[in-house]
Amino acid sequence: MNHPRALPDWNTLATLGDDELPLLDTALLIARDEYPDLDPAGYSAQVDTYAEALRPQLEGDVDLPARLTAINRYLFEEVGFAGNNLQYDDPRNSYLNQVVDRKLGIPISLAVIQIEVTRRLGMPLDGVSFPGHFLVRLPVDDGILVLDPFNKGRPVSAEELRERASPHLGGQPPDDQQLLQILAPATHRMILMRMLRNLKGLYLERGDWERVARSADRLLKLSPDTAEALRDRGLAYRELGYAKGAREDLARYLQLLPEADDVESVRSALIDLSGSPSRLN
């Protein structure tokens, strides 16, 4: 029988250190916004079950890369987690309960499963907020091993990493120092904020303003002065008819980024809102 599991309180998360944020529980907290009846204890127990099934395979004198190979074989071949190539933009790929239920995800949600299982087995796996495609990393004797959770956890060479990063750096491949900076471990806050940004972007494309506002609001619970989240929540509030909230958010955005590229369009939106009655839709 599962005992009730209390998820974190959104209103306390900003006060926690970047890695004090509980990764799995906060990811489930994000999912609970969309799936209010989800059972947090059940999903946590499922991750525990994966780790316990693996533990006997990792006993004895097995080096880290071999241990990680066994973990990936289990997660991506036996259990069947996979990258959702056919419906990459399906929001369910970003909600951890759905990722566990459907065994489908995007790089960052699959990485969270991989990280949580691996850390339960005493291995220091970290996320990497790589441009375009989230990765994971493991320290080894001669450096770091970088893996791609979207592609069954396969290793990614330094050459391929440079090729992947190049389009995000003006077409120039990163040098060794730049690449190491890009491959720095992602904190839990960085991971969770990237998950929320992914969701916000999907809902922006769909014009789902209620969920845009929600995703932006959750970003601000994690990091209250995130300028782009203030802007997007303000624009969503405008679409939802909440003029007072829209004015406050957009004005704060301009305070934080007075030289932003979109400053004129945001000012224009503020002017349009200046005569709007304050009402909450």
Side-chain angles (χ1 to χ4, degrees):
M1 177 179 175
N2 287 332
H3 297 288
R5 183 182 181 90
L7 291 178
D9 180 349
W10 278 113
N11 293 319
T12 67
L13 296 181
T15 67
L16 298 178
D18 288 349
D19 279 323
E20 291 176 341
L21 288 164
L23 182 59
L24 178 65
D25 283 355
T26 310
L28 289 170
L29 187 65
I30 292 169
R32 194 174 64 181
D33 281 338
E34 188 70 16
Y35 302 94
D37 296 327
L38 72 79
D39 172 21
Y43 290 104
S44 180
Q46 186 62 67
V47 174
D48 290 341
T49 299
Y50 297 148
E52 290 309 308
L54 274 160
R55 200 174 298 279
Q57 302 180 39
L58 307 180
E59 293 175 348
D61 188 18
V62 183
D63 65 19
L64 282 180
R67 289 161 66 89
L68 193 55
T69 297
I71 292 169
N72 287 340
R73 185 187 305 118
Y74 173 77
L75 288 176
F76 298 113
E77 295 180 17
E78 293 185 40
V79 178
F81 282 102
N84 192 349
N85 282 298
L86 295 179
Q87 294 178 304
Y88 192 91
D89 291 338
D90 188 330
R92 290 177 295 178
N93 296 329
S94 293
Y95 291 120
L96 216 66
N97 62 319
Q98 290 291 303
V99 175
V100 172
D101 290 348
R102 302 167 71 233
K103 304 296 184 290
L104 288 171
I106 54 174
I108 194 166
S109 57
L110 294 170
V112 170
I113 298 293
Q114 194 181 19
I115 288 168
E116 286 289 324
V117 171
T118 304
R119 287 182 179 172
R120 279 164 172 73
L121 296 165
M123 296 175 61
L125 193 71
D126 284 312
V128 175
S129 200
F130 202 80
H133 192 125
F134 200 86
L135 301 169
V136 297
R137 54 170 275 165
L138 183 75
V140 292
D141 290 340
D142 55 349
I144 55 173
L145 181 61
V146 180
L147 305 112
D148 183 352
F150 193 70
N151 289 294
K152 299 186 176 182
R154 73 168 180 84
V156 186
S157 68
E159 181 182 355
E160 183 179 347
L161 289 167
R162 287 190 173 89
E163 289 176 3
R164 289 191 184 193
S166 177
H168 304 277
L169 300 172
Q172 294 296 316
D175 60 28
D176 288 350
Q177 185 176 359
Q178 287 175 309
L179 187 58
L180 282 173
Q181 290 175 344
I182 293 170
L183 294 174
T187 67
H188 290 181
R189 194 180 307 276
M190 290 167 64
I191 294 171
L192 295 161
M193 290 183 71
R194 183 158 170 167
M195 293 179 80
L196 284 164
R197 283 190 174 102
N198 287 342
L199 283 165
K200 179 164 64 69
L202 292 175
Y203 292 133
L204 270 169
E205 289 175 5
R206 299 171 180 212
D208 186 339
W209 296 108
E210 183 177 342
R211 287 179 171 84
V212 170
R214 184 181 74 196
S215 301
D217 181 75
R218 295 323 196 187
L219 275 164
L220 292 163
K221 295 293 189 186
L222 289 171
S223 182
D225 284 333
T226 303
E228 121 270 340
L230 281 163
R231 178 198 62 203
D232 291 343
R233 189 176 69 176
L235 295 174
Y237 281 165
R238 180 184 65 171
E239 296 294 328
L240 294 168
Y242 179 28
K244 178 177 183 293
R247 287 195 296 267
E248 290 174 354
D249 280 354
L250 296 179
R252 178 66 178 144
Y253 172 74
L254 293 177
Q255 284 181 339
L256 290 171
L257 291 181
E259 306 296 329
D261 292 341
D262 59 355
V263 65
E264 291 305 323
S265 64
V266 173
R267 280 182 180 147
S268 176
L270 264 176
I271 291 169
D272 289 343
L273 285 161
S274 61
S276 301
S278 298
R279 66 182 180 85
L280 178 61
N281 185 336

